[in-house]
Amino acid sequence: MSALRVTAVVRRIIAQFRRDPRSLALLFAAPVAVIALLGAVLSGSGASTARVAIVSESSQPASAAVVSRLTAALQGQPTVMVNTDVHDAATARQMLKDKQLDLVVNIPADFTVQSPKLQLVTLGLNPTGEASVIPNVQQALFKAVAGNLGGALPSIERSTVYGSPDATTVDTLAPVVVGFFVYFFVFILTGISFLRERIGGTLERLLATPVSRAEIVLGYSLGFGFFATLQVATVLAFVLGRLDIPSLGPVPAFAIGLGVHTAGNPLISYLLVLILGLGAVSLGIFLSTFARTELQILQFIPIVIVPQALLSGFFWPIDQLPSLLQPVARVLPVTYAIDGLRQVMIAGADLTSGQVLFDLAVLTGIAAVFIVLAAATIRREVA
Amino acid sequence: MTVASPSPTTSATTAAPAVEAVALRKAYGPINAVDGIDLSLPAGRIYGMLGPNGSGKTTLIRLLTGLVSATSGEARVMGVEMPSRTNLARIGYMTQADGIYPELSVWENLSFFAALYGQRDRAEMIRALELVELDGRLGTPAHQLSGGMRRRLSMACALAHHPAVLFLDEPTVGVDPAVRVQFWDHFHRLAAAGATLLVSSHVMDEADRCDELLFMREGHVLAQGTPADLRARAGTDNLESAFLHFAGLSASPPATAGSSQEAAR
């Protein structure tokens, strides 16, 4: 192992990127732009007001009192707007279809004081989106029903162990997004860079010099590690920081950065993402063996990147995946990065946490496996 | 196929050969790209490998540089069996593709490869660029160079560390005639200084500039000798006919000779 040769490879990679502004933009501007967009989309969806009507199909005398109690309770909610002009269930259903209402609270025909049953009706075209209005309404309903029936039901309050109950989706998704984008961009850039090395004839020439395969992989890891370091710093600064810009003339006030609260030390988040990135460098080198063109590198996205997006806990908790897919999720590096980032950023874990140390260890192990694979396959295409 | 006996000049040399092959064979599936080649090339000469595309020239160079491992047989450079990573520091290899980084400048390309070979002497690197007349373009990105200039940069990258053995795979393709003459003058200077050069080509008109020729076809060395020697043995006054003679194809008029050589590709 010669430090001079490794340094030569590192310096060359940095010089190549300096000359390639578009790839640099991909590395730095693209993740920030995507995260900003994601932040804007997610924060927008929570702000809307639910339009609600309360109707009754019951002939019970008590039901009229329930309607007025519910109406009174819901009118006190800031995110709910009660439409008091609608009284029969058929009209209310039609108004759901016409998108004039988001939710109908129906007191069914079999309603009794002994078994107080309520129906919450939504349209059903976009179940996830519609469900977001339910919790606010539900809480008010419980209170109203409990009051009406003489305190038979306890009042319900929401609380969480970590973070706060009003943490937005952006807060909980930010750690996930940071890890995922670094992995994605580092993989794509290394894969394509190394493929160009293979098809441009420079790899053949490299291998005819005294440089070893380990020196090449190390040089690549350090060179791309340098850019991954800057990228993670940029992305974390954007996610954690927030700079409010006041309104200027026709431009409304806006904020740069998401200002996500991190409970733990950002440096540990940094470490997690960096080791994940090193694994992505070697994976890129390794998979470039199996590609002959840049297009074929892009074909690895659905094979390598998309499954990690779906299975790594990005959208759904791993425990809730079908049992067949859970073992798959547990071998994906992004799974461990996301878990570690959540531990650190949301739960405030530090390096004394067994879980964080475990995640770091697994990530290091996966990176090591791919470093060995990358070094072993470098000669393949040339031979 | 007859492998010709070494010419008198080769057999007279006593020092250990710079390049050696013993029953060297490389198979890709059912095809023997190099099919049992024996070579013993003394140092300080320019050897030309001539043969149609697919005759095994590049594979032979790859075996000699250790880029591929032999299916059977041995390859030795400066007495060291290849592949040997440390021995590569004494070898220069100009690939058939330019093998330079288009985004990097002339100087960055050269200093990168020089660093890998352990050459840190800036004056030597500049001298390599002077030879290929690129010393005035140190900062020019390689992608802005013409095809011939890229070829010259590729050459400089193979020379800057003063290799004892230099493998040049079609070095003069796309290089204009004036620079081509300079290249050959420099090849002779390197050989005079003790370097051994193995130059592949499928153009016969460069062959006369070599000290010795290897005629290659289908993974075999058909004949080896000085250009004059080969012409005399084939009983012809041109190397193209001599090649066809050794290839076992009838020595026909040049026009037909060209087309049968095409057919061999």
PDB file of all heavy atoms in Angstrom, chain A residues 295-325:
ATOM      1  N   LEU A 295     -26.263   3.750 -19.351  1.00  0.00           N
ATOM      2  CA  LEU A 295     -27.683   3.401 -19.238  1.00  0.00           C
ATOM      3  C   LEU A 295     -27.855   2.166 -18.360  1.00  0.00           C
ATOM      4  O   LEU A 295     -28.799   2.069 -17.577  1.00  0.00           O
ATOM      5  CB  LEU A 295     -28.260   3.155 -20.633  1.00  0.00           C
ATOM      6  CG  LEU A 295     -29.772   2.918 -20.673  1.00  0.00           C
ATOM      7  CD1 LEU A 295     -30.526   4.135 -20.183  1.00  0.00           C
ATOM      8  CD2 LEU A 295     -30.216   2.549 -22.069  1.00  0.00           C
ATOM      9  N   GLN A 296     -26.919   1.231 -18.490  1.00  0.00           N
ATOM     10  CA  GLN A 296     -27.039   0.013 -17.693  1.00  0.00           C
ATOM     11  C   GLN A 296     -26.772   0.266 -16.212  1.00  0.00           C
ATOM     12  O   GLN A 296     -27.248  -0.484 -15.368  1.00  0.00           O
ATOM     13  CB  GLN A 296     -26.110  -1.073 -18.248  1.00  0.00           C
ATOM     14  CG  GLN A 296     -26.620  -1.598 -19.583  1.00  0.00           C
ATOM     15  CD  GLN A 296     -25.781  -2.731 -20.130  1.00  0.00           C
ATOM     16  OE1 GLN A 296     -24.677  -2.968 -19.675  1.00  0.00           O
ATOM     17  NE2 GLN A 296     -26.315  -3.422 -21.114  1.00  0.00           N
ATOM     18  N   ILE A 297     -26.017   1.324 -15.902  1.00  0.00           N
ATOM     19  CA  ILE A 297     -25.851   1.698 -14.496  1.00  0.00           C
ATOM     20  C   ILE A 297     -27.196   2.200 -13.969  1.00  0.00           C
ATOM     21  O   ILE A 297     -27.629   1.843 -12.874  1.00  0.00           O
ATOM     22  CB  ILE A 297     -24.785   2.806 -14.335  1.00  0.00           C
ATOM     23  CG1 ILE A 297     -23.396   2.255 -14.623  1.00  0.00           C
ATOM     24  CG2 ILE A 297     -24.839   3.420 -12.935  1.00  0.00           C
ATOM     25  CD1 ILE A 297     -22.796   1.419 -13.518  1.00  0.00           C
ATOM     26  N   LEU A 298     -27.889   3.002 -14.804  1.00  0.00           N
ATOM     27  CA  LEU A 298     -29.188   3.527 -14.373  1.00  0.00           C
ATOM     28  C   LEU A 298     -30.193   2.390 -14.179  1.00  0.00           C
ATOM     29  O   LEU A 298     -31.114   2.506 -13.388  1.00  0.00           O
ATOM     30  CB  LEU A 298     -29.727   4.542 -15.391  1.00  0.00           C
ATOM     31  CG  LEU A 298     -28.852   5.781 -15.591  1.00  0.00           C
ATOM     32  CD1 LEU A 298     -29.529   6.762 -16.529  1.00  0.00           C
ATOM     33  CD2 LEU A 298     -28.561   6.464 -14.259  1.00  0.00           C
ATOM     34  N   GLN A 299     -29.990   1.284 -14.895  1.00  0.00           N
ATOM     35  CA  GLN A 299     -30.903   0.145 -14.734  1.00  0.00           C
ATOM     36  C   GLN A 299     -30.779  -0.495 -13.355  1.00  0.00           C
ATOM     37  O   GLN A 299     -31.643  -1.267 -12.957  1.00  0.00           O
ATOM     38  CB  GLN A 299     -30.623  -0.899 -15.830  1.00  0.00           C
ATOM     39  CG  GLN A 299     -31.094  -0.446 -17.197  1.00  0.00           C
ATOM     40  CD  GLN A 299     -30.483  -1.254 -18.324  1.00  0.00           C
ATOM     41  OE1 GLN A 299     -29.794  -2.229 -18.098  1.00  0.00           O
ATOM     42  NE2 GLN A 299     -30.746  -0.835 -19.553  1.00  0.00           N
ATOM     43  N   PHE A 300     -29.711  -0.182 -12.651  1.00  0.00           N
ATOM     44  CA  PHE A 300     -29.576  -0.724 -11.297  1.00  0.00           C
ATOM     45  C   PHE A 300     -30.463   0.030 -10.303  1.00  0.00           C
ATOM     46  O   PHE A 300     -30.665  -0.446  -9.191  1.00  0.00           O
ATOM     47  CB  PHE A 300     -28.124  -0.665 -10.835  1.00  0.00           C
ATOM     48  CG  PHE A 300     -27.270  -1.740 -11.447  1.00  0.00           C
ATOM     49  CD1 PHE A 300     -26.185  -1.415 -12.238  1.00  0.00           C
ATOM     50  CD2 PHE A 300     -27.559  -3.073 -11.230  1.00  0.00           C
ATOM     51  CE1 PHE A 300     -25.403  -2.410 -12.806  1.00  0.00           C
ATOM     52  CE2 PHE A 300     -26.776  -4.077 -11.795  1.00  0.00           C
ATOM     53  CZ  PHE A 300     -25.703  -3.732 -12.586  1.00  0.00           C
ATOM     54  N   ILE A 301     -30.986   1.191 -10.707  1.00  0.00           N
ATOM     55  CA  ILE A 301     -31.806   1.962  -9.766  1.00  0.00           C
ATOM     56  C   ILE A 301     -33.013   1.149  -9.286  1.00  0.00           C
ATOM     57  O   ILE A 301     -33.218   1.000  -8.093  1.00  0.00           O
ATOM     58  CB  ILE A 301     -32.216   3.327 -10.366  1.00  0.00           C
ATOM     59  CG1 ILE A 301     -30.957   4.179 -10.542  1.00  0.00           C
ATOM     60  CG2 ILE A 301     -33.220   4.035  -9.460  1.00  0.00           C
ATOM     61  CD1 ILE A 301     -31.213   5.510 -11.182  1.00  0.00           C
ATOM     62  N   PRO A 302     -33.825   0.577 -10.229  1.00  0.00           N
ATOM     63  CA  PRO A 302     -34.950  -0.220  -9.719  1.00  0.00           C
ATOM     64  C   PRO A 302     -34.521  -1.467  -8.953  1.00  0.00           C
ATOM     65  O   PRO A 302     -35.287  -1.983  -8.148  1.00  0.00           O
ATOM     66  CB  PRO A 302     -35.732  -0.589 -10.986  1.00  0.00           C
ATOM     67  CG  PRO A 302     -34.874  -0.240 -12.125  1.00  0.00           C
ATOM     68  CD  PRO A 302     -33.876   0.766 -11.680  1.00  0.00           C
ATOM     69  N   ILE A 303     -33.322  -1.947  -9.199  1.00  0.00           N
ATOM     70  CA  ILE A 303     -32.890  -3.177  -8.524  1.00  0.00           C
ATOM     71  C   ILE A 303     -32.277  -2.874  -7.149  1.00  0.00           C
ATOM     72  O   ILE A 303     -32.491  -3.585  -6.189  1.00  0.00           O
ATOM     73  CB  ILE A 303     -31.865  -3.935  -9.406  1.00  0.00           C
ATOM     74  CG1 ILE A 303     -32.520  -4.315 -10.729  1.00  0.00           C
ATOM     75  CG2 ILE A 303     -31.331  -5.169  -8.695  1.00  0.00           C
ATOM     76  CD1 ILE A 303     -31.539  -4.780 -11.771  1.00  0.00           C
ATOM     77  N   VAL A 304     -31.499  -1.796  -7.097  1.00  0.00           N
ATOM     78  CA  VAL A 304     -30.727  -1.524  -5.886  1.00  0.00           C
ATOM     79  C   VAL A 304     -31.375  -0.444  -5.028  1.00  0.00           C
ATOM     80  O   VAL A 304     -31.437  -0.556  -3.807  1.00  0.00           O
ATOM     81  CB  VAL A 304     -29.291  -1.087  -6.273  1.00  0.00           C
ATOM     82  CG1 VAL A 304     -28.514  -0.661  -5.052  1.00  0.00           C
ATOM     83  CG2 VAL A 304     -28.578  -2.216  -6.981  1.00  0.00           C
ATOM     84  N   ILE A 305     -31.876   0.605  -5.668  1.00  0.00           N
ATOM     85  CA  ILE A 305     -32.324   1.771  -4.917  1.00  0.00           C
ATOM     86  C   ILE A 305     -33.789   1.648  -4.498  1.00  0.00           C
ATOM     87  O   ILE A 305     -34.136   1.845  -3.335  1.00  0.00           O
ATOM     88  CB  ILE A 305     -32.102   3.061  -5.738  1.00  0.00           C
ATOM     89  CG1 ILE A 305     -30.619   3.195  -6.126  1.00  0.00           C
ATOM     90  CG2 ILE A 305     -32.578   4.271  -4.978  1.00  0.00           C
ATOM     91  CD1 ILE A 305     -29.675   3.378  -4.965  1.00  0.00           C
ATOM     92  N   VAL A 306     -34.657   1.305  -5.446  1.00  0.00           N
ATOM     93  CA  VAL A 306     -36.096   1.296  -5.140  1.00  0.00           C
ATOM     94  C   VAL A 306     -36.445   0.306  -4.023  1.00  0.00           C
ATOM     95  O   VAL A 306     -37.165   0.670  -3.086  1.00  0.00           O
ATOM     96  CB  VAL A 306     -36.935   1.073  -6.423  1.00  0.00           C
ATOM     97  CG1 VAL A 306     -38.406   0.948  -6.086  1.00  0.00           C
ATOM     98  CG2 VAL A 306     -36.705   2.210  -7.404  1.00  0.00           C
ATOM     99  N   PRO A 307     -35.930  -0.946  -4.067  1.00  0.00           N
ATOM    100  CA  PRO A 307     -36.252  -1.854  -2.951  1.00  0.00           C
ATOM    101  C   PRO A 307     -35.827  -1.285  -1.601  1.00  0.00           C
ATOM    102  O   PRO A 307     -36.526  -1.466  -0.603  1.00  0.00           O
ATOM    103  CB  PRO A 307     -35.459  -3.119  -3.275  1.00  0.00           C
ATOM    104  CG  PRO A 307     -35.218  -3.070  -4.728  1.00  0.00           C
ATOM    105  CD  PRO A 307     -35.123  -1.619  -5.086  1.00  0.00           C
ATOM    106  N   GLN A 308     -34.701  -0.570  -1.594  1.00  0.00           N
ATOM    107  CA  GLN A 308     -34.254   0.007  -0.316  1.00  0.00           C
ATOM    108  C   GLN A 308     -35.207   1.116   0.127  1.00  0.00           C
ATOM    109  O   GLN A 308     -35.446   1.299   1.312  1.00  0.00           O
ATOM    110  CB  GLN A 308     -32.833   0.553  -0.433  1.00  0.00           C
ATOM    111  CG  GLN A 308     -31.856  -0.505  -0.892  1.00  0.00           C
ATOM    112  CD  GLN A 308     -30.523  -0.437  -0.173  1.00  0.00           C
ATOM    113  OE1 GLN A 308     -30.458  -0.454   1.036  1.00  0.00           O
ATOM    114  NE2 GLN A 308     -29.456  -0.352  -0.932  1.00  0.00           N
ATOM    115  N   ALA A 309     -35.760   1.851  -0.854  1.00  0.00           N
ATOM    116  CA  ALA A 309     -36.732   2.895  -0.505  1.00  0.00           C
ATOM    117  C   ALA A 309     -37.981   2.265   0.094  1.00  0.00           C
ATOM    118  O   ALA A 309     -38.556   2.778   1.055  1.00  0.00           O
ATOM    119  CB  ALA A 309     -37.079   3.721  -1.743  1.00  0.00           C
ATOM    120  N   LEU A 310     -38.409   1.128  -0.470  1.00  0.00           N
ATOM    121  CA  LEU A 310     -39.658   0.516  -0.021  1.00  0.00           C
ATOM    122  C   LEU A 310     -39.491  -0.271   1.276  1.00  0.00           C
ATOM    123  O   LEU A 310     -40.397  -0.316   2.101  1.00  0.00           O
ATOM    124  CB  LEU A 310     -40.208  -0.420  -1.107  1.00  0.00           C
ATOM    125  CG  LEU A 310     -40.613   0.258  -2.411  1.00  0.00           C
ATOM    126  CD1 LEU A 310     -41.084  -0.779  -3.425  1.00  0.00           C
ATOM    127  CD2 LEU A 310     -41.714   1.281  -2.172  1.00  0.00           C
ATOM    128  N   LEU A 311     -38.336  -0.908   1.442  1.00  0.00           N
ATOM    129  CA  LEU A 311     -38.200  -1.881   2.524  1.00  0.00           C
ATOM    130  C   LEU A 311     -37.403  -1.393   3.729  1.00  0.00           C
ATOM    131  O   LEU A 311     -37.403  -2.036   4.769  1.00  0.00           O
ATOM    132  CB  LEU A 311     -37.531  -3.160   1.988  1.00  0.00           C
ATOM    133  CG  LEU A 311     -38.263  -3.888   0.859  1.00  0.00           C
ATOM    134  CD1 LEU A 311     -37.484  -5.110   0.428  1.00  0.00           C
ATOM    135  CD2 LEU A 311     -39.657  -4.288   1.302  1.00  0.00           C
ATOM    136  N   SER A 312     -36.697  -0.270   3.587  1.00  0.00           N
ATOM    137  CA  SER A 312     -35.741   0.075   4.637  1.00  0.00           C
ATOM    138  C   SER A 312     -36.368   0.835   5.795  1.00  0.00           C
ATOM    139  O   SER A 312     -35.656   1.334   6.649  1.00  0.00           O
ATOM    140  CB  SER A 312     -34.627   0.912   4.042  1.00  0.00           C
ATOM    141  OG  SER A 312     -35.191   2.107   3.540  1.00  0.00           O
ATOM    142  N   GLY A 313     -37.690   0.930   5.812  1.00  0.00           N
ATOM    143  CA  GLY A 313     -38.319   1.690   6.884  1.00  0.00           C
ATOM    144  C   GLY A 313     -38.548   3.130   6.478  1.00  0.00           C
ATOM    145  O   GLY A 313     -38.907   3.965   7.307  1.00  0.00           O
ATOM    146  N   PHE A 314     -38.301   3.438   5.227  1.00  0.00           N
ATOM    147  CA  PHE A 314     -38.524   4.780   4.681  1.00  0.00           C
ATOM    148  C   PHE A 314     -40.006   5.139   4.871  1.00  0.00           C
ATOM    149  O   PHE A 314     -40.347   6.155   5.472  1.00  0.00           O
ATOM    150  CB  PHE A 314     -38.147   4.756   3.193  1.00  0.00           C
ATOM    151  CG  PHE A 314     -37.952   6.103   2.552  1.00  0.00           C
ATOM    152  CD1 PHE A 314     -36.905   6.305   1.664  1.00  0.00           C
ATOM    153  CD2 PHE A 314     -38.786   7.172   2.817  1.00  0.00           C
ATOM    154  CE1 PHE A 314     -36.705   7.534   1.060  1.00  0.00           C
ATOM    155  CE2 PHE A 314     -38.606   8.395   2.226  1.00  0.00           C
ATOM    156  CZ  PHE A 314     -37.557   8.575   1.334  1.00  0.00           C
ATOM    157  N   PHE A 315     -40.885   4.284   4.378  1.00  0.00           N
ATOM    158  CA  PHE A 315     -42.313   4.579   4.459  1.00  0.00           C
ATOM    159  C   PHE A 315     -43.022   3.751   5.533  1.00  0.00           C
ATOM    160  O   PHE A 315     -43.892   4.244   6.225  1.00  0.00           O
ATOM    161  CB  PHE A 315     -42.990   4.318   3.112  1.00  0.00           C
ATOM    162  CG  PHE A 315     -42.481   5.180   2.003  1.00  0.00           C
ATOM    163  CD1 PHE A 315     -41.773   4.645   0.944  1.00  0.00           C
ATOM    164  CD2 PHE A 315     -42.690   6.560   2.040  1.00  0.00           C
ATOM    165  CE1 PHE A 315     -41.302   5.459  -0.073  1.00  0.00           C
ATOM    166  CE2 PHE A 315     -42.226   7.375   1.033  1.00  0.00           C
ATOM    167  CZ  PHE A 315     -41.521   6.824  -0.023  1.00  0.00           C
ATOM    168  N   TRP A 316     -42.663   2.462   5.613  1.00  0.00           N
ATOM    169  CA  TRP A 316     -43.371   1.578   6.539  1.00  0.00           C
ATOM    170  C   TRP A 316     -42.397   0.965   7.526  1.00  0.00           C
ATOM    171  O   TRP A 316     -41.295   0.585   7.143  1.00  0.00           O
ATOM    172  CB  TRP A 316     -44.076   0.459   5.766  1.00  0.00           C
ATOM    173  CG  TRP A 316     -45.074   0.991   4.812  1.00  0.00           C
ATOM    174  CD1 TRP A 316     -46.301   1.467   5.103  1.00  0.00           C
ATOM    175  CD2 TRP A 316     -44.897   1.137   3.403  1.00  0.00           C
ATOM    176  NE1 TRP A 316     -46.922   1.896   3.952  1.00  0.00           N
ATOM    177  CE2 TRP A 316     -46.080   1.715   2.894  1.00  0.00           C
ATOM    178  CE3 TRP A 316     -43.870   0.823   2.516  1.00  0.00           C
ATOM    179  CZ2 TRP A 316     -46.264   1.984   1.553  1.00  0.00           C
ATOM    180  CZ3 TRP A 316     -44.043   1.099   1.174  1.00  0.00           C
ATOM    181  CH2 TRP A 316     -45.220   1.670   0.703  1.00  0.00           C
ATOM    182  N   PRO A 317     -42.817   0.797   8.768  1.00  0.00           N
ATOM    183  CA  PRO A 317     -41.941   0.124   9.736  1.00  0.00           C
ATOM    184  C   PRO A 317     -41.657  -1.299   9.283  1.00  0.00           C
ATOM    185  O   PRO A 317     -42.531  -1.959   8.709  1.00  0.00           O
ATOM    186  CB  PRO A 317     -42.779   0.117  11.017  1.00  0.00           C
ATOM    187  CG  PRO A 317     -43.832   1.141  10.819  1.00  0.00           C
ATOM    188  CD  PRO A 317     -44.072   1.243   9.352  1.00  0.00           C
ATOM    189  N   ILE A 318     -40.425  -1.742   9.519  1.00  0.00           N
ATOM    190  CA  ILE A 318     -40.007  -3.064   9.049  1.00  0.00           C
ATOM    191  C   ILE A 318     -40.848  -4.160   9.692  1.00  0.00           C
ATOM    192  O   ILE A 318     -41.200  -5.153   9.061  1.00  0.00           O
ATOM    193  CB  ILE A 318     -38.510  -3.263   9.321  1.00  0.00           C
ATOM    194  CG1 ILE A 318     -37.743  -2.351   8.381  1.00  0.00           C
ATOM    195  CG2 ILE A 318     -38.070  -4.697   9.115  1.00  0.00           C
ATOM    196  CD1 ILE A 318     -36.357  -2.063   8.807  1.00  0.00           C
ATOM    197  N   ASP A 319     -41.252  -3.967  10.961  1.00  0.00           N
ATOM    198  CA  ASP A 319     -42.060  -4.975  11.658  1.00  0.00           C
ATOM    199  C   ASP A 319     -43.410  -5.196  10.975  1.00  0.00           C
ATOM    200  O   ASP A 319     -44.036  -6.237  11.145  1.00  0.00           O
ATOM    201  CB  ASP A 319     -42.331  -4.533  13.109  1.00  0.00           C
ATOM    202  CG  ASP A 319     -41.035  -4.345  13.852  1.00  0.00           C
ATOM    203  OD1 ASP A 319     -40.033  -4.940  13.428  1.00  0.00           O
ATOM    204  OD2 ASP A 319     -41.027  -3.592  14.849  1.00  0.00           O
ATOM    205  N   GLN A 320     -43.863  -4.192  10.226  1.00  0.00           N
ATOM    206  CA  GLN A 320     -45.176  -4.323   9.600  1.00  0.00           C
ATOM    207  C   GLN A 320     -45.089  -4.868   8.185  1.00  0.00           C
ATOM    208  O   GLN A 320     -46.098  -5.029   7.515  1.00  0.00           O
ATOM    209  CB  GLN A 320     -45.887  -2.965   9.590  1.00  0.00           C
ATOM    210  CG  GLN A 320     -46.300  -2.530  10.990  1.00  0.00           C
ATOM    211  CD  GLN A 320     -46.856  -1.135  11.014  1.00  0.00           C
ATOM    212  OE1 GLN A 320     -47.329  -0.626  10.004  1.00  0.00           O
ATOM    213  NE2 GLN A 320     -46.791  -0.495  12.174  1.00  0.00           N
ATOM    214  N   LEU A 321     -43.871  -5.147   7.723  1.00  0.00           N
ATOM    215  CA  LEU A 321     -43.724  -5.729   6.386  1.00  0.00           C
ATOM    216  C   LEU A 321     -44.159  -7.187   6.437  1.00  0.00           C
ATOM    217  O   LEU A 321     -44.109  -7.818   7.491  1.00  0.00           O
ATOM    218  CB  LEU A 321     -42.265  -5.661   5.940  1.00  0.00           C
ATOM    219  CG  LEU A 321     -41.670  -4.285   5.674  1.00  0.00           C
ATOM    220  CD1 LEU A 321     -40.179  -4.411   5.427  1.00  0.00           C
ATOM    221  CD2 LEU A 321     -42.348  -3.613   4.490  1.00  0.00           C
ATOM    222  N   PRO A 322     -44.577  -7.747   5.288  1.00  0.00           N
ATOM    223  CA  PRO A 322     -44.877  -9.179   5.259  1.00  0.00           C
ATOM    224  C   PRO A 322     -43.666  -9.973   5.743  1.00  0.00           C
ATOM    225  O   PRO A 322     -42.523  -9.580   5.481  1.00  0.00           O
ATOM    226  CB  PRO A 322     -45.149  -9.453   3.778  1.00  0.00           C
ATOM    227  CG  PRO A 322     -45.482  -8.125   3.187  1.00  0.00           C
ATOM    228  CD  PRO A 322     -44.776  -7.103   3.996  1.00  0.00           C
ATOM    229  N   SER A 323     -43.899 -11.087   6.429  1.00  0.00           N
ATOM    230  CA  SER A 323     -42.790 -11.809   7.067  1.00  0.00           C
ATOM    231  C   SER A 323     -41.747 -12.254   6.046  1.00  0.00           C
ATOM    232  O   SER A 323     -40.564 -12.376   6.346  1.00  0.00           O
ATOM    233  CB  SER A 323     -43.321 -13.013   7.828  1.00  0.00           C
ATOM    234  OG  SER A 323     -44.100 -13.801   6.954  1.00  0.00           O
ATOM    235  N   LEU A 324     -42.180 -12.471   4.803  1.00  0.00           N
ATOM    236  CA  LEU A 324     -41.251 -12.888   3.754  1.00  0.00           C
ATOM    237  C   LEU A 324     -40.227 -11.788   3.461  1.00  0.00           C
ATOM    238  O   LEU A 324     -39.079 -12.075   3.125  1.00  0.00           O
ATOM    239  CB  LEU A 324     -42.058 -13.201   2.494  1.00  0.00           C
ATOM    240  CG  LEU A 324     -41.416 -14.135   1.471  1.00  0.00           C
ATOM    241  CD1 LEU A 324     -41.213 -15.504   2.068  1.00  0.00           C
ATOM    242  CD2 LEU A 324     -42.293 -14.215   0.230  1.00  0.00           C
ATOM    243  N   LEU A 325     -40.658 -10.522   3.582  1.00  0.00           N
ATOM    244  CA  LEU A 325     -39.778  -9.412   3.191  1.00  0.00           C
ATOM    245  C   LEU A 325     -38.915  -8.916   4.346  1.00  0.00           C
ATOM    246  O   LEU A 325     -37.923  -8.227   4.112  1.00  0.00           O
ATOM    247  CB  LEU A 325     -40.621  -8.250   2.647  1.00  0.00           C
ATOM    248  CG  LEU A 325     -41.293  -8.502   1.292  1.00  0.00           C
ATOM    249  CD1 LEU A 325     -42.162  -7.312   0.900  1.00  0.00           C
ATOM    250  CD2 LEU A 325     -40.259  -8.769   0.209  1.00  0.00           C
TER     251      LEU A 325
END
